[in-house]
Amino acid sequence: MKTIAFFDTKPYDRESFSRLADENLNIRFFENKLNADTVSMAACCDGVCAFVNDSIDKTVIDKLEEYGVGVVALRCAGYNNVDLKHANGKIRILRVPAYSPYAVAEHTMGLILTLNRKLHRSYIRTRDHNFSLEGLTGFDLKDKTVGIIGTGKIGCVFADICKGFGMNILGFDPYPNENFKGEYVDLDTLLASSDIISLHCPLTKKNTHLINRETIEKMKKGVYIINTSRGRLVSTEALIEGIKTGKVGAAGLDVYEEETTLFFEDYSEEVLLDDKLSTLISMPNVIVTSHQAFLTREALDAIAKTTLQNLTDYFSGKELINEVVVNR
Ligand code: NAI
């Protein structure tokens, strides 16, 4: 029997993992996020299961090694929260490369439709018995151009959805994908030609703040910027400035660069101390969701199945097909 320290547990994780885990894994569910202050909770465990806002940095890795924990199973696709170089040779890092690209792609289109047709505002209005249409005009998506940055699994499904709306589809990706049903262009062309720009690439050191003052400057006036990928791909300061000047027409954000201590938690009784997030939330043409794009029943089951299989393969010495290795 192997014991797994499961960090940042939410009720929906507990449900799917408890239902799908076999008798060889004993899962200890902790609500705390994994970081230097909480890593001691993993002492006496054989493995760790972590999520997007857990921090697997040098200190955490060294501590886990000291406790004899040999594996961190990420229950997500992205691994920008892991110091991979430091983990190399100390701890095996496993992930879930794909669970439901549909969940994220459909949420992306949900953000676009809500922003464009102002559904978030109509919902509030009609509850207040205000049936006026003033200020609710949107535009047809048909024949508009969407620029997709990152045309992997999610980017391709999102392109298919956009195709269904009759949109023109542009893509930028250093590694073109044969499944992508759009036209590949260079980044500057995509920025200059798109009515809507949607991010679907992983966060790396190189593309941090890919959306910044200079790249926003190259975009069409009134562009919609949608980020369901990772917060730090977008400079929040530059985005706020772009929205204030009217260069950016709307923003749909499922991720935020300073989300780590906020997202997934209920702070509704407290004053929000993050001024940039407060500004974004106050804008009528911005929608922030708290990293929920993945959250469908199908995705939760797929995440649990793959994570549990990754751990079982590790403990039984099998090949680790979902291992993240340095310098890919
Ligand atoms: P994927 O690995 O299938 O595709 C990523 C694509 O991005 C690849 O084709 C890659 O070549 C491309 N890429 C890498 N660097 C790039 C750059 N600088 N510019 C343009 N393209 C670049 O990954 P998948 O499954 O499509 O996921 C994409 C991202 O979505 C993940 O890395 C993760 O950050 C995010 N995500 C967000 C979720 C949410 O709940 N909001 C859930 C799951 C993933």
Side-chain angles (χ1 to χ4, degrees):
M1 168 86 79
K2 300 291 182 187
T3 302
I4 308 299
F6 193 106
F7 286 89
D8 202 9
T9 309
K10 292 289 177 273
Y12 44 81
D13 297 314
R14 196 186 285 261
E15 192 285 319
S16 55
F17 276 81
S18 302
R19 177 164 42 83
L20 295 165
D22 68 25
E23 65 282 356
N24 298 317
L25 290 178
N26 166 35
I27 305 181
R28 285 195 196 159
F29 290 104
F30 302 125
E31 287 179 12
N32 308 64
K33 290 193 171 54
L34 173 61
N35 55 42
D37 295 331
T38 60
V39 62
S40 58
M41 298 169 93
C44 308
C45 290
D46 304 287
V48 156
C49 183
F51 197 45
V52 291
N53 287 330
D54 291 315
S55 170
I56 300 107
D57 58 13
K58 284 192 178 67
T59 314
V60 168
I61 290 166
D62 288 343
K63 278 284 169 200
L64 290 177
E65 193 189 24
E66 187 187 315
Y67 301 146
V69 173
V71 62
V72 171
L74 298 168
R75 51 183 193 280
C76 54
Y79 45 85
N80 53 286
N81 52 337
V82 183
D83 186 335
L84 277 185
K85 275 205 179 119
H86 198 71
N88 197 19
K90 296 179 182 227
I91 287 195
R92 314 288 289 269
I93 307 291
L94 314 178
R95 69 171 183 140
V96 184
Y99 37 94
S100 170
Y102 308 100
V104 182
E106 288 169 13
H107 189 81
T108 306
M109 184 48 92
L111 288 172
I112 294 170
L113 291 172
T114 307
L115 286 165
N116 175 26
R117 304 310 298 268
K118 298 34 180 181
L119 302 179
H120 53 312
R121 301 183 64 198
S122 329
Y123 172 75
I124 308 264
R125 269 191 202 185
T126 52
R127 280 162 61 100
D128 205 23
H129 304 172
N130 174 355
F131 303 107
S132 152
L133 298 184
E134 202 56 42
L136 300 183
T137 309
F139 54 82
D140 287 3
L141 290 180
K142 170 133 176 52
D143 294 333
K144 297 296 182 299
T145 298
V146 60
I148 302 177
I149 299 181
T151 57
K153 291 175 284 297
I154 296 171
C156 280
V157 172
F158 177 61
D160 291 346
I161 291 173
C162 293
K163 197 112 201 126
F165 280 82
M167 303 184 78
N168 304 317
I169 299 159
L170 300 180
F172 168 72
D173 195 313
Y175 301 98
N177 182 340
E178 59 181 17
N179 297 322
F180 178 62
K181 298 198 192 81
E183 181 193 347
Y184 277 111
V185 291
D186 58 53
L187 184 59
D188 278 358
T189 307
L190 181 146
L191 297 174
S193 319
S194 303
D195 300 294
I196 296 170
I197 293 175
S198 194
L199 299 171
H200 298 288
C201 57
L203 173 70
T204 62
K205 279 202 179 115
K206 262 183 151 174
N207 67 16
T208 298
H209 287 183
L210 175 74
I211 303 299
N212 55 43
R213 240 169 232 122
E214 288 73 42
T215 47
I216 290 177
E217 199 47 49
K218 294 175 181 169
M219 296 177 190
K220 276 188 179 179
K221 185 168 164 48
V223 64
Y224 277 31
I225 296 177
I226 312 295
N227 187 7
T228 57
S229 203
R230 284 295 180 266
R232 269 187 286 141
L233 288 168
V234 176
S235 155
T236 309
E237 251 173 58
L239 179 66
I240 290 173
E241 194 180 294
I243 298 168
K244 282 185 175 170
T245 63
K247 178 79 176 183
V248 176
L253 309 172
D254 186 51
V255 287
Y256 168 60
E257 54 179 330
E258 302 300 334
E259 72 178 51
T260 311
T261 55
L262 292 169
F263 283 16
F264 308 134
E265 307 304 329
D266 179 1
Y267 292 114
S268 55
E269 300 294 320
E270 293 177 33
V271 171
L272 187 56
L273 297 177
D274 183 324
D275 291 346
K276 287 186 210 158
L277 186 57
S278 296
T279 303
L280 285 170
I281 289 170
S282 75
M283 292 170 152
N285 50 350
V286 174
I287 294 181
V288 177
T289 52
S290 57
H291 209 134
Q292 80 174 73
F294 74 98
L295 196 61
T296 65
R297 280 196 297 272
E298 291 78 2
L300 288 172
D301 274 14
I303 288 169
K305 275 185 196 151
T306 305
T307 306
L308 293 165
Q309 190 60 52
N310 285 343
L311 286 165
T312 303
D313 289 349
Y314 169 79
F315 290 121
S316 52
K318 288 202 183 133
E319 189 196 354
L320 299 175
I321 53 171
N322 294 325
E323 181 166 18
V324 187
V325 283
V326 228
N327 291 335
R328 273 131 299 110

